[in-house]
């Protein structure tokens, strides 16, 4: 990438709302074009547990580690434990993102702990582990959008305990830094660096408009999609002229 400022920023709600109108597939296309293929942005193995809902929220991070007595003494300190401090950072427009080291059936939390997210009116929870008590979250209207590898009746142990919050983590093989934007639909989750979010949503909106324009040309001319797709820079220019009228 060209030299540029990459300082994390607080992404405003107006940008998040715009992301909710763009398919994740389009967001992925733009992010990979800007970051390069050697910077993964799609979370592998993380799937929607509350399908049909769109997520675009700022990441508040929580890192799990394998249990050990010395770590437990440091972190199991009641309401000041890492998971509660992480959830306390979450409000409207925020999502708790938990690095469970990919432990498929290890629960990040259940309904009792996650009531803190519901009380804070956070947008949701994303983890590369599992979600416990999902039926309760839905029946009691926690209003959380949830992405995880699996559902589970198990606890985090013997695989993982919450250890650190508000730091860089991985989730689903992707770097997540506090404040990054997680964009999700039923296709999965894409991570957008906070400092790139405004630029990505603008380009994603135009990319989606160009693809709709290309589909209409294909239908009207009854030609194979390969005539116009994928759209070239020249097609983008054609669309811009068309849009101006």
């Amino acid at each position: 990438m060209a030299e540029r400022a990459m300082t994390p920023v607080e992404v405003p709600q107006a940008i998040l709302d715009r992301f909710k109108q763009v398919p994740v597939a389009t967001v992925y296309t733009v992010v990979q074009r800007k970051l390069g293929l050697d910077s993964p942005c799609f979370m592998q193995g993380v799937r929607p547990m509350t399908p049909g809902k769109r997520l675009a929220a700022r990441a508040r991070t929580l890192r799990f580690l394998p249990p050990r007595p010395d770590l437990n003494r440091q972190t199991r300190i009641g309401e000041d434990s890492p998971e509660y401090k992480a959830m306390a950072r979450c409000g409207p427009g925020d999502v708790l993102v938990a690095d469970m080291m990919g432990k498929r059936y290890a629960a990040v939390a259940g309904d009792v702990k996650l009531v803190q997210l519901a009380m804070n009116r956070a947008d949701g929870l994303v983890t590369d582990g599992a979600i416990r008590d999902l039926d309760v979250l839905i029946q009691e209207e926690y209003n959380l959008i949830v992405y995880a590898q699996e559902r589970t009746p198990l606890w985090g142990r013997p695989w993982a305990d919450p250890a650190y919050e508000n730091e860089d983590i991985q989730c689903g093989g992707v770097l997540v830094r506090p404040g990054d934007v997680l964009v999700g639909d039923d296709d999965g989750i894409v991570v957008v660096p906070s400092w790139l979010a405004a630029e990505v949503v603008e380009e994603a909106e135009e990319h989606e408009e160009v693809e709709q324009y290309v589909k209409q040309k294909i239908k009207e001319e009854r030609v194979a999609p390969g005539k116009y797709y994928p759209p070239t820079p020249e097609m983008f220019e054609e669309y811009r002229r068309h849009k101006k009228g």
Side-chain angles (χ1 to χ4, degrees), residues 9 19 36 39 41 60 73 97 102 109 114 121 132 145 161 166 184 200:
V9 300
F19 269 116
S39 297
C41 66
R60 307 304 178 197
R73 183 173 296 177
V97 188
L114 294 178
R121 297 175 53 231
R132 177 184 168 101
I145 302 170
D161 268 344
N166 197 36
V200 166

Side-chain angles (χ1 to χ4, degrees), residues 185-204:
D185 60 18
D186 285 353
D187 284 344
I189 292 280
V190 168
V191 179
V192 183
S194 62
W195 47 269
L196 196 59
E199 197 173 318
V200 166
V201 76
E202 183 173 342
E203 292 192 22

Side-chain angles (χ1 to χ4, degrees), residues 70-178:
D70 51 348
L71 181 64
N72 295 344
R73 183 173 296 177
Q74 176 184 332
T75 59
R76 291 197 166 195
I77 49 179
E79 62 185 355
D80 291 323
S81 296
E83 67 268 41
Y84 300 125
K85 292 180 71 174
M87 286 190 279
R89 294 182 187 275
C90 296
D94 298 325
V95 57
L96 180 68
V97 188
D99 175 0
M100 295 292 290
M101 304 173 292
K103 301 301 183 183
R104 188 170 183 174
Y105 292 104
V108 61
D111 63 307
V112 178
K113 286 187 176 183
L114 294 178
V115 75
Q116 186 175 8
L117 286 183
M119 290 189 301
N120 291 355
R121 297 175 53 231
D123 283 22
L125 165 68
V126 173
T127 180
D128 63 352
I131 181 67
R132 177 184 168 101
D133 300 324
L134 181 61
D135 288 344
V136 178
L137 304 186
I138 295 171
Q139 291 164 7
E140 296 188 6
E141 297 183 343
Y142 279 45
N143 295 319
L144 297 174
I145 302 170
V146 179
Y147 288 79
Q149 280 213 69
E150 292 287 352
R151 298 182 60 167
T152 187
L154 308 176
W155 298 99
R157 288 193 162 203
W159 302 284
D161 268 344
Y164 299 103
E165 61 96 21
N166 197 36
E167 64 174 30
D168 296 352
I169 63 171
Q170 76 77 40
C171 189
V174 179
L175 173 65
V176 182
R177 311 191 77 179

